[in-house]
Amino acid sequence: MVGVVWVGGRMGFERVLMDFNVDHFALFGLPEKFRTDTDLLDKRYREMQVLAHPDRYAGAGDEEKRVSMQWATRVNEAYQTLKNPLRRAAYLMLLAGRKLDVESNTAMPTEFLIEQMEWREAVAEARRAREQTELEQLYHRVKQQMKCRYERLANLLDDEADTALAEDEVLRLMFLDKLVSEIDDALVALEA
Amino acid sequence: MALFQIAEPGESAAPHQHKLAVGIDLGTTNSLVATVKSGVASVLPDALGRPLLPSAVRYRDGESPVVGYDALAGQSSDPSNVIVSVKRFMGRSIDELPYRESMPYRFEAGPGALSLKTVAGVKTPVEVSADILRELRTRAEAALGGELVGAVITVPAYFDDAQRQATKDAARLAGLSVLRLLNEPTAAALAYGLDNAAEGVYAVYDLGGGTFDISILRLSRGVFEVLSTGGDSFLGGDDFDQRIFCWVIEAAKLKPLSGEDARHLLTCAREAKEFLTNHGAAPIVARIGSGELVDLELTTETFTEITRTLVEKTLKPVRRALRDAGLSIADVKGVVMVGGATRMPQVQRAVGEFFEKAPLNNLDPEKVVALGAAIQANLLAGNRASGDDWLLLDVIPLSLGLETMGGLVERIIPRNSTIPVARAQEFTTFRDGQTALALHVVQGERELVGDCRSLGRFELRKIPPMVAGAARIRVSFQVDADGLLSVSARETTSGVESSIAVKPSYGLSDDAIARMLKDSLDHAKDDTARRAVKELQVEAQRLVEAIRSALVADGDLLLPDARERIESGIARLQAAMLGEDRHAIARCIDELETETGAFAALRMDRTIRDAFSGKKIDAIARELASSEKGGET
Ligand SMILES: Nc1ncnc2c1ncn2[C@@H]1O[C@H](COP(=O)(O)OP(=O)(O)OP(=O)(O)O)[C@@H](O)[C@H]1O
Ligand SMILES: [Mg+2]
């Protein structure tokens, strides 16, 4: 779910106001690439929030406040999408006209899926046994694997322009990302 | 009602006029009010020069309540009518309170929220908090010599939606206009950061009387960006008191205590705790109701031992906040200590050891939150000075989601999302011909609905009957800059819509607020009416002028008939202004504001767009040139 912007209100002119056609990269004036200058992104983001944030319009009327909130929300959404490499990659796939659908994708190789199941069992086991350090180690291992895959993905997207292979990589990364958040949930549960 | 008065982003509407605004730290133990005078933030003391107001309210039979030190004085003799630490009850139901039994109050379970029975009637935590806020408001208005335009009220970063709503309700009940709810650690970071021109990643460790917060922020050229936050809204100095209290009962082999004795011993426990900060041992001497004499000595070693788990408990959210921010200890440049309870040496030590650096204690840990809030209030009220070029970007502390099949939670907005934030998700019907969909909004990190906090339920009705799975129901969550959530749902094929500001189960309804306000107002009517007409006439004049100049600047945004409607609205208002009919003027103002609403939105949009693109041309060109080589993921 990328690029969702709040549309509400009674008059319906919001559709005119919120320009969905400007993509996130264009909004920040960045090239449509996976390898992104994150420092520049951060910097642009802050500059734009300085201009759009509701705190800047605290004395304004309700309509102005609402528009400012919509813009600030839009900028936040765009920033979150581009800042996170997985969301950025998925967004690039979307711009390239490829719809990612993890649930119905059955084309994942068996050995990858088996590895996923093993990871998952390890997490569940560590969670049952309340093994905090074990969970933290798993966390770092998954993160490490993700890092390698991101490097490959950058190659595929920016250098080789191979969206088909890139899609495969993104799907794997989505699995791993899900795994990370599961480990995270497990850690939270231990801390509760 | 400053319609059309935005000139440039960040510029104040009326620079010549200093608006009276305050920051309020509504603490579990102590509350403070602060303001910015001539560019300097300071705490406003009471008539005796005391900066803190103990967050205690004593209710009396047939008399108005007493707040602060005088309320505390009645604590031992009248414990059930002296309400302390009421912040712990905000937005909570009765079964959520730890050690409720050792509290001398007569609780009543309300629908969702709890309330307390006092000699002055049943009081909700919102009302008790409002009494504290009213006292601070009175103090501020006396000191500043005028009515406040508004206040920034601080809340623990880890407060959930219900607790935030309750706080906002309390402020409204106290007659305060809330400029913003601000997270306590963020307020502290603001005061600290501006004071020390800090740059880089900082952690704010805030252990107060009743709540613990940890926030990780990046300070960069005037932007205070909260990266993550965590905490425990039931962990603070009070819990250390409780540990000492239990130790005393055990060491002195006491039988079950009366409310008076319990209160008295808790006070002794707290004194001992504070004494231990600068001494190796504290005497605990108390005569209790039965005539027994408690005479003990608590050493630092014992105290450290019996509170070790509490200190450790604070480090878990710290670890998680770091992980959420994707940072390690080495990335943290400094740890700002906030809250009276951080004075305890074992806390200082634990934090220093964890972060591998000495904590920063150069600001008064009890005042820094109020000072930060005052700085923010000053800005939001429109008193921006030329050097005030900073911005706060905050996050929501807990994930927001919806209940789905089987009592599971579907996360819609994850914790630590920067606000304002909006997300939408599509759902569908699961039965043929289903015409309603029940939505249950929850907050928390757990997977099961039962383990999360229920924020509210609502229903989307009148969905046209379709086969199962055909309806497209788009549920949208919006969290505003106060961190408050509103939810709406819409069936997209038919356009059926439903929405709520999420507050039914714990907050007060607007009607309830209105009623309470009316109850608490005395009616000095006639005078006020004359003044009101004058004020309305002034306001009407301002509005007309503002619209006129807006039409000159951006009239091209309007279609001819829209412009005509605005012109005729102006004419009607001008006619009404000649008379003394307050209601007629107010009505015309309302009509004109409604009529110009869309225009205002369009202008605002143009303002922001122009600002963005103005920046882009020079800034981007420059930056791209210099960063062409750099690039990573
Ligand atoms: N010298 C001291 N040594 C130890 N503890 C202290 C000392 N001084 C104050 N405290 C404790 O600090 C707590 C109050 O701190 P503070 O005023 O910052 O809290 P608060 O803002 O009212 O609470 P919260 O932020 O949780 O709502 C009390 O528990 C008090 O006993
Ligand atoms: Mg505090």
Side-chain angles (χ1 to χ4, degrees):
Chain A
M1 182 105 0
V2 183
V4 175
V5 177
W6 176 256
V7 181
R10 30 202 162 76
M11 291 178 239
F13 59 83
E14 289 84 349
R15 264 177 293 280
V16 189
L17 297 180
M18 305 302 294
D19 192 350
F20 290 99
N21 292 324
V22 173
D23 74 56
H24 296 338
F25 288 100
L27 185 69
F28 290 110
L30 292 167
E32 236 174 71
K33 291 272 185 209
F34 181 70
R35 292 195 190 91
T36 299
D37 182 344
T38 47
D39 289 344
L40 182 56
L41 175 67
D42 287 351
K43 187 165 179 291
R44 285 289 297 146
Y45 165 68
R46 292 196 202 106
E47 284 172 1
M48 289 171 82
Q49 281 299 16
V50 164
L51 297 168
H53 196 274
D55 280 5
R56 291 290 163 133
Y57 306 97
D62 290 346
E63 292 297 326
E64 283 97 334
K65 280 188 190 156
R66 192 174 52 75
V67 173
S68 142
M69 183 164 85
Q70 284 174 336
W71 269 110
T73 303
R74 165 86 170 89
V75 172
N76 275 336
E77 176 69 25
Y79 177 62
Q80 294 304 331
T81 306
L82 297 192
K83 192 176 73 160
N84 177 308
L86 187 52
R87 291 185 67 186
R88 182 166 72 239
Y91 185 64
L92 278 166
M93 308 297 293
L94 197 85
L95 292 180
R98 288 192 93 95
K99 201 166 161 256
L100 288 166
D101 195 351
V102 210
E103 250 110 273
S104 70
N105 192 296
T106 44
M108 301 305 281
T110 333
E111 85 267 25
F112 179 77
L113 291 174
I114 289 176
E115 191 193 28
Q116 285 306 301
M117 299 227 314
E118 284 167 1
W119 286 108
R120 218 144 280 215
E121 271 161 28
V123 173
E125 182 49 43
R127 182 174 181 161
R128 255 192 312 275
R130 308 188 62 80
E131 291 273 9
Q132 177 154 343
T133 13
E134 173 70 21
L135 281 170
E136 271 162 4
Q137 274 166 13
L138 280 169
Y139 184 89
H140 289 296
R141 265 163 60 203
V142 180
K143 278 282 190 191
Q144 189 56 40
Q145 194 190 112
M146 289 178 80
K147 201 171 159 229
C148 299
R149 292 196 177 275
Y150 277 127
E151 271 159 32
R152 196 170 132 69
L153 182 62
N155 261 323
L156 291 169
L157 281 171
D158 292 354
D159 308 333
E160 289 158 32
D162 190 337
T163 35
L165 272 184
E167 180 170 332
D168 181 64
E169 211 53 57
V170 170
L171 286 172
R172 286 167 190 244
L173 278 159
M174 283 179 160
F175 271 95
L176 295 171
D177 192 63
K178 186 88 199 1
L179 195 57
V180 166
S181 59
E182 255 168 50
I183 301 178
D184 212 53
D185 284 346
L187 283 165
V188 170
L190 285 196
E191 282 162 13
Chain B
M1 234 182 266
L3 188 77
F4 288 111
Q5 295 189 351
I6 29 147
E8 283 294 313
E11 228 170 64
S12 71
H16 48 282
Q17 235 177 322
H18 182 85
K19 309 243 182 53
L20 301 181
V22 293
I24 292 179
D25 175 1
L26 183 60
T28 309
T29 323
N30 299 303
S31 295
L32 299 92
V33 58
T35 196
V36 173
K37 273 185 284 193
S38 332
V40 182
S42 59
V43 171
L44 299 171
D46 68 4
L48 298 177
R50 298 173 296 196
L52 302 182
L53 177 73
S55 305
V57 182
R58 178 177 190 184
Y59 289 99
R60 301 180 296 178
D61 192 5
E63 284 174 282
S64 55
V66 183
V67 182
Y69 290 102
D70 297 342
L72 275 188
Q75 216 181 6
S76 297
S77 60
D78 190 15
S80 67
N81 292 305
V82 178
I83 317 298
V84 297
S85 297
V86 70
K87 189 170 172 178
R88 291 198 142 190
F89 309 156
M90 294 287 270
R92 294 282 167 217
S93 69
I94 193 156
D95 21 75
E96 286 174 297
L97 295 186
Y99 25 83
R100 177 168 25 123
E101 320 72 47
S102 68
M103 287 188 243
Y105 307 130
R106 287 164 290 171
F107 289 104
E108 275 195 3
L114 62 84
S115 49
L116 302 144
K117 240 194 201 148
T118 75
V119 281
V122 174
K123 298 286 169 187
T124 64
V126 168
E127 288 171 283
V128 181
S129 299
D131 284 323
I132 299 169
L133 289 170
R134 205 173 285 118
E135 180 80 16
L136 293 170
R137 177 180 152 213
T138 311
R139 179 191 289 191
E141 290 184 338
L144 302 175
E147 211 171 298
L148 302 177
V149 300
V152 167
I153 316 251
T154 61
V155 288
Y158 212 58
F159 255 20
D160 64 29
D161 198 80
Q163 293 169 305
R164 284 168 201 267
Q165 281 290 1
T167 306
K168 205 167 180 179
D169 288 345
R172 283 206 288 160
L173 197 55
L176 284 165
S177 149
V178 180
L179 297 168
R180 179 72 79 237
L181 294 179
L182 176 61
N183 289 329
E184 287 162 12
T186 312
L190 179 63
Y192 178 86
L194 292 178
D195 218 45
N196 295 276
E199 291 272 316
V201 173
Y202 282 80
V204 178
Y205 179 103
D206 180 354
L207 190 63
T211 56
F212 171 65
D213 276 333
I214 176 79
S215 287
I216 315 282
L217 295 98
R218 176 179 292 131
L219 280 51
S220 169
R221 275 180 274 180
V223 178
F224 294 72
E225 186 184 356
V226 179
L227 301 175
S228 65
T229 194
D232 188 333
S233 46
F234 272 115
L235 179 58
D238 283 3
D239 299 275
F240 291 73
D241 303 350
Q242 193 70 30
R243 287 282 162 95
I244 298 179
F245 174 80
C246 294
W247 175 82
V248 169
I249 289 183
E250 222 166 84
K253 300 190 181 61
L254 297 178
K255 307 215 169 48
L257 297 169
S258 68
E260 283 84 356
D261 286 340
R263 192 74 264 175
H264 181 51
L265 280 183
L266 268 173
T267 307
C268 293
R270 179 166 158 196
E271 285 163 1
K273 172 190 73 176
E274 293 176 7
F275 190 81
L276 282 172
T277 290
N278 293 311
H279 303 84
I284 299 177
V285 184
R287 170 119 20 225
I288 58 172
S290 62
E292 260 174 285
L293 182 74
V294 175
D295 186 356
L296 297 165
E297 189 186 67
L298 178 62
T299 63
T300 299
E301 290 72 50
T302 309
F303 180 48
T304 306
E305 196 44 49
I306 61 177
T307 58
R308 185 179 304 283
T309 50
L310 291 176
V311 178
E312 271 164 17
K313 210 169 160 194
T314 67
L315 295 177
K316 286 180 180 175
V318 173
R319 265 185 228 109
R320 196 178 80 171
L322 273 172
R323 203 167 54 233
D324 282 356
L327 297 172
S328 62
I329 286 161
D331 299 315
V332 178
K333 200 164 153 192
V335 188
V336 180
M337 300 295 268
V338 180
T342 59
R343 291 214 167 93
M344 286 183 280
Q346 70 265 46
V347 173
Q348 289 279 339
R349 213 178 314 118
V351 172
E353 273 165 21
F354 180 87
F355 282 99
E356 296 165 10
K357 50 188 73 79
L360 302 163
N361 288 299
N362 39 343
L363 284 177
D364 185 333
E366 269 146 1
K367 292 186 185 150
V368 56
V369 168
L371 296 176
I375 296 170
Q376 164 92 328
N378 187 52
L379 199 86
L380 293 182
N383 302 325
R384 187 185 288 267
S386 54
D388 284 344
D389 238 352
W390 49 266
L391 178 71
L392 299 180
L393 295 171
D394 222 316
V395 301
I396 50 162
L398 295 155
S399 304
L400 293 160
L402 283 171
E403 173 170 358
T404 60
M405 301 282 241
L408 294 176
V409 178
E410 169 89 17
R411 261 176 224 170
I412 310 281
I413 304 185
R415 67 170 185 265
N416 291 320
S417 294
T418 310
I419 52 176
V421 59
R423 285 289 157 80
Q425 186 104 322
E426 270 193 3
F427 293 86
T428 189
T429 46
F430 62 97
R431 265 187 289 106
D432 286 345
Q434 188 178 340
T435 58
L437 184 79
L439 293 165
H440 182 200
V441 183
V442 297
Q443 185 164 31
E445 307 312 317
R446 309 288 293 277
E447 295 123 48
L448 295 178
V449 165
D451 297 330
C452 289
R453 156 160 297 260
S454 165
L455 292 179
R457 292 171 188 274
F458 73 123
E459 213 169 82
L460 179 66
R461 283 195 207 122
K462 302 208 188 88
I463 303 171
M466 288 178 247
V467 292
R472 287 276 163 273
I473 296 151
R474 194 178 176 77
V475 182
S476 307
F477 278 43
Q478 167 90 54
V479 180
D480 65 15
D482 287 324
L484 294 174
L485 171 70
S486 50
V487 178
S488 69
R490 190 182 147 89
E491 202 287 303
T492 49
T493 59
S494 65
V496 175
E497 206 161 333
S498 167
S499 69
I500 49 164
V502 180
K503 60 183 310 195
S505 38
Y506 289 86
L508 296 170
S509 67
D510 283 349
D511 285 353
I513 296 259
R515 189 168 29 74
M516 287 167 153
L517 273 178
K518 212 154 141 257
D519 290 350
S520 66
L521 272 186
D522 33 289
H523 356 239
K525 262 189 189 154
D526 299 337
D527 256 23
T528 359
R530 280 237 25 92
R531 219 177 84 197
V533 173
K534 270 244 130 357
E535 281 172 1
L536 273 175
Q537 286 169 335
V538 171
E539 188 193 320
Q541 188 54 38
R542 259 211 309 261
L543 181 66
V544 170
E545 281 164 17
I547 296 176
R548 284 265 153 81
S549 65
L551 284 172
V552 172
D554 294 307
D556 59 307
L557 290 170
L558 289 171
L559 294 172
D561 66 319
R563 185 175 188 126
E564 216 160 89
R565 281 201 307 275
I566 293 178
E567 294 286 1
S568 75
I570 292 180
R572 272 199 306 278
L573 175 58
Q574 283 178 322
M577 277 162 66
L578 300 173
E580 295 278 302
D581 183 347
R582 176 155 67 109
H583 300 291
I585 304 177
R587 199 175 52 243
C588 287
I589 289 182
D590 273 0
E591 282 170 10
L592 192 53
E593 284 190 329
T594 314
E595 199 57 69
T596 52
F599 182 35
L602 286 167
R603 292 194 68 216
M604 179 67 175
D605 191 61
R606 172 181 272 183
T607 305
I608 294 182
R609 265 172 207 283
D610 287 355
F612 280 3
S613 53
K615 277 262 168 187
K616 234 175 244 167
I617 298 159
D618 49 24
I620 290 282
R622 222 178 323 113
E623 279 152 13
L624 279 183
S626 68
S627 62
E628 210 67 291
K629 41 204 161 353
E632 45 93 48
T633 57

